[in-house]
Amino acid sequence: MKTNFCTLLALIIGVLTSHRCSAETPNIVVIMADDLGYGDVSCYGATELQTPHIDQLAKEGVRFTNGYCSASTCTPTRYSLLTGTYAFRGERTGIAPPNSPAIIQPGTETVASLLKKAGYATGVVGKWHLGLGGPGGPDWNGDLKPGPLEIGFDTCFLLPTTNDRVPQVYVHDHRVPNLDPADPLWVGQKKPSPDHPTGKTHRDTLKMDWSHGHNSTIHNGISRIGFYTGGHAARFRDEDLADKWVEKSNEFMEAHKDEPFFLFFSSHDIHVPRMPHERFQGKTKLGFRGDAIVELDWCVGEVMKTLDRLSLAEKTLVVFCSDNGPVLDDGYKDGAIEKNGSHRAAGPFSGGKYSVYEGGTRTPFVTRWIGRIKPGVSDEMVCTIDLAASLAALTKQPLPNDACLDSFDVSGALLGQASAKGRDHLVQQDNGSRGTFGLRSGKWKLHRYQNKTARNVRVEQELANTKVPMHQLFDLSEDEAEKQNVLDEHPQVAARLQKQLDAIIENGRSRD
């Protein structure tokens, strides 16, 4: 009888423990696409290609119509996601060059460090682009620190910069794997290596031609930004990146299946150079850009399959988002414009990557937690910058007063709770701290440009580099495409929003 009682008690404790882990401390998987627009996936209206795995994620979770990233380029958005602080408050937060030192310094509170305090195993796989190493920059042949492991991650397997910038090597924790000491890796920004061809000197050898800017060192038939030589045994093929991210993500989830884990799956798709694996090439009529979207969708499906195989789907909160809006020609002649047809990468919005129009920062945003999140569509405003405060709240971790300065707890909205509200305003920036901002507050959207006139880069070819006035005001409830500047009709609204934007910038924080 005593044995039976002990066995029953153990079973009850096991059930309660399992319920607590799934209901209160879920595994967390954040999948961030790169340059994916609001209209690039079929659950957000794309008709020229299909994304069944992302669609399934949305069908089983909450699809946000007002989901944002905080900036319209990669480095500042990634900085803000991890730190919960607008990138314009930090230093060197514009698009990071190949030899950038670590932008997020040790001791900075991040999503990863908060979750690590909550007992999570933490890992990042994929594109980093937040710099590595001390003030002198990365020691490519030595220890690459500080880096992710110094700001809360237990492990990392990275593309250190972004793949249109050198070098084409992986970073595992603090080292470049497979380096041959007899062939050291050298990386430079402005001076070419005399023994390495470039996109200018050997343009006729390229398998993907450049259209602007990307004409330095050639690797794998593609020229990049910056120069490097050596490290040949450590280099990867562009076509294999997606497979490697899935492989390493699966390894991480399998290794930590019996404890809470946080995985940041930071895809490089669909950033240039778009060179999907051969099995995806030609799968769409949109050229390599469309094929890369299909490859991204496959990655999402593979991660979901692993969660199912490990019986973790009901114990895992999945967040799918993008680091900024879309761009067609971003430096390579890959057919993105010529084969675009009727596809609208930014959906109904104007702008795209590099701009503060809605298309630059309003992107696909989906949350799924089977059994906890009721499937549906939400119009609440949420942003990737809110993951820090929201996940801290979900795991009952207090936020230090001097950390995550612009991150709001919108966990209720992320979990699809009917009465929960998202944020009521959001600052959007283009790149770094150049003084170009958008402020959305309710139905209103203010643009402020640093100069009296500015050049807005829009995703639409015919509107690229359109000059705009220093201030613009749009009523998004009537004009979601931001075509009609109504500043003259509503000067008091414009003045109120300008005062609000100035206060957010000058006060040094949004969070009370």
Side-chain angles (χ1 to χ4, degrees):
M1 180 67 69
K2 182 177 180 180
T3 301
N4 289 340
F5 175 77
C6 291
T7 301
L8 178 61
L9 183 61
L11 286 172
I12 292 172
I13 292 173
V15 169
L16 291 176
T17 302
S18 174
H19 177 73
R20 181 173 70 250
C21 289
S22 63
E24 296 180 5
T25 54
N27 304 312
I28 298 165
V29 176
V30 175
I31 303 173
M32 175 169 272
D34 199 332
D35 293 359
L36 186 75
Y38 188 95
D40 273 331
V41 294
S42 41
C43 60
Y44 278 87
T47 58
E48 300 304 297
L49 52 73
Q50 296 298 310
T51 52
H53 300 295
I54 299 171
D55 295 355
Q56 184 67 25
L57 199 67
K59 183 179 179 180
E60 296 172 345
V62 177
R63 179 174 64 84
F64 288 89
T65 61
N66 287 286
Y68 288 85
C69 53
S70 60
S72 59
T73 52
C74 44
T75 297
T77 283
R78 292 160 197 276
Y79 175 93
S80 296
L81 183 152
L82 290 176
T83 66
T85 299
Y86 286 130
F88 61 78
R89 303 197 194 284
E91 297 180 358
R92 300 181 292 104
T93 59
I95 299 175
N99 271 334
S100 172
I103 296 171
I104 304 175
Q105 290 297 300
T108 304
E109 200 76 84
T110 67
V111 173
S113 64
L114 288 164
L115 292 176
K116 190 171 183 177
K117 291 176 183 178
Y120 279 66
T122 57
V124 55
V125 173
K127 174 175 170 175
W128 184 239
H129 209 191
L130 288 165
L132 294 167
D139 176 6
W140 294 105
N141 301 285
D143 284 336
L144 291 162
K145 60 182 182 182
L149 275 58
E150 284 65 51
I151 57 171
F153 287 102
D154 294 320
T155 187
C156 67
F157 194 92
L158 308 175
L159 171 67
T161 57
T162 188
N163 204 28
D164 62 341
R165 286 161 171 75
V166 300
Q168 278 56 59
V169 297
Y170 298 120
V171 170
H172 181 204
D173 293 344
H174 289 137
R175 304 287 294 193
V176 174
N178 302 320
L179 267 183
D180 179 357
D183 183 30
L185 178 63
W186 173 88
V187 180
Q189 177 66 15
K190 297 181 179 180
K191 183 179 179 182
S193 170
D195 65 344
H196 220 296
T198 70
K200 288 184 177 180
T201 62
H202 291 70
R203 193 169 189 171
D204 59 339
T205 69
L206 299 174
K207 67 180 182 183
M208 178 180 285
D209 196 9
W210 54 274
S211 58
H212 55 85
H214 299 71
N215 51 26
S216 298
T217 293
I218 296 173
H219 168 72
N220 192 31
I222 304 169
S223 52
R224 324 280 169 152
I225 294 174
F227 303 97
Y228 77 120
T229 189
H232 289 85
R235 299 189 189 189
F236 57 71
R237 266 193 351 141
D238 304 72
E239 292 89 342
D240 299 326
L241 281 175
D243 284 341
K244 184 59 71 174
W245 305 148
V246 168
E247 172 195 333
K248 293 301 178 180
S249 294
N250 286 346
E251 286 180 4
F252 177 81
M253 291 186 288
E254 289 163 355
H256 300 286
K257 66 182 185 297
D258 296 324
E259 61 181 322
F261 64 76
F262 166 53
L263 170 64
F264 180 23
F265 183 121
S266 182
S267 175
H268 191 263
D269 286 325
I270 56 175
H271 195 284
V272 297
R274 301 166 186 131
M275 186 54 64
H277 193 276
E278 288 85 350
R279 66 182 185 277
F280 295 106
Q281 295 179 17
K283 290 295 184 180
T284 73
K285 57 185 178 182
L286 302 181
F288 278 7
R289 186 175 187 276
D291 299 343
I293 294 174
V294 172
E295 180 175 77
L296 168 69
D297 183 70
W298 170 82
C299 290
V300 172
E302 292 301 298
V303 172
M304 297 309 107
K305 286 179 184 177
T306 299
L307 291 177
D308 289 339
R309 174 170 56 83
L310 299 176
S311 299
L312 295 177
E314 295 183 356
K315 301 177 183 179
T316 304
L317 170 63
V318 179
V319 180
F320 177 79
C321 56
S322 180
D323 68 345
N324 51 252
V327 61
L328 299 184
D329 180 352
D330 203 22
Y332 293 97
K333 297 180 180 180
D334 59 4
I337 292 175
E338 296 81 357
K339 297 182 179 182
N340 194 52
S342 61
H343 180 66
R344 287 282 301 151
F349 306 114
S350 296
K353 185 176 183 179
Y354 309 114
S355 85
V356 294
Y357 283 79
E358 287 292 282
T361 54
R362 199 188 305 198
T363 66
F365 200 117
V366 174
T367 58
R368 188 198 79 167
W369 183 359
I370 291 178
R372 179 70 181 271
I373 291 179
K374 182 180 179 180
V377 178
S378 174
D379 295 329
E380 294 300 322
M381 182 162 39
V382 295
C383 180
T384 52
I385 200 173
D386 296 323
L387 291 179
S390 300
L391 296 180
L394 186 63
T395 56
K396 297 180 173 56
Q397 289 301 301
L399 282 181
N401 188 54
D402 60 350
C404 308
L405 304 178
D406 303 292
S407 187
F408 294 138
D409 175 12
V410 294
S411 55
L414 295 178
L415 296 179
Q417 297 173 1
S419 59
K421 297 296 182 182
R423 55 167 53 233
D424 62 1
H425 72 277
L426 176 69
V427 177
Q428 301 147 298
Q429 68 174 93
D430 54 356
N431 180 49
S433 55
R434 293 185 291 179
T436 297
F437 296 103
L439 171 64
R440 180 174 176 189
S441 180
K443 72 174 186 177
W444 297 105
K445 173 77 174 288
L446 177 78
H447 291 206
R448 189 188 85 182
Y449 296 90
Q450 186 175 24
N451 302 314
K452 291 184 178 180
T453 61
R455 291 189 177 274
N456 166 50
V457 182
R458 300 194 184 193
V459 70
E460 304 96 328
Q461 178 71 357
E462 69 275 10
L463 295 177
N465 296 326
T466 302
K467 286 188 175 182
V468 292
M470 186 173 181
H471 292 95
Q472 295 186 95
L473 179 69
F474 301 99
D475 180 351
L476 296 181
S477 67
E478 301 288 338
D479 178 26
E480 64 181 1
E482 297 167 284
K483 300 292 187 183
Q484 300 298 321
N485 180 8
V486 295
L487 187 144
D488 290 341
E489 291 91 327
H490 301 278
Q492 292 181 332
V493 173
R496 172 172 60 83
L497 294 183
Q498 182 62 62
K499 183 178 179 180
Q500 182 180 5
L501 177 60
D502 289 343
I504 292 171
I505 295 172
E506 293 169 5
N507 290 345
R509 64 189 299 127
S510 300
R511 186 167 60 84
D512 294 332

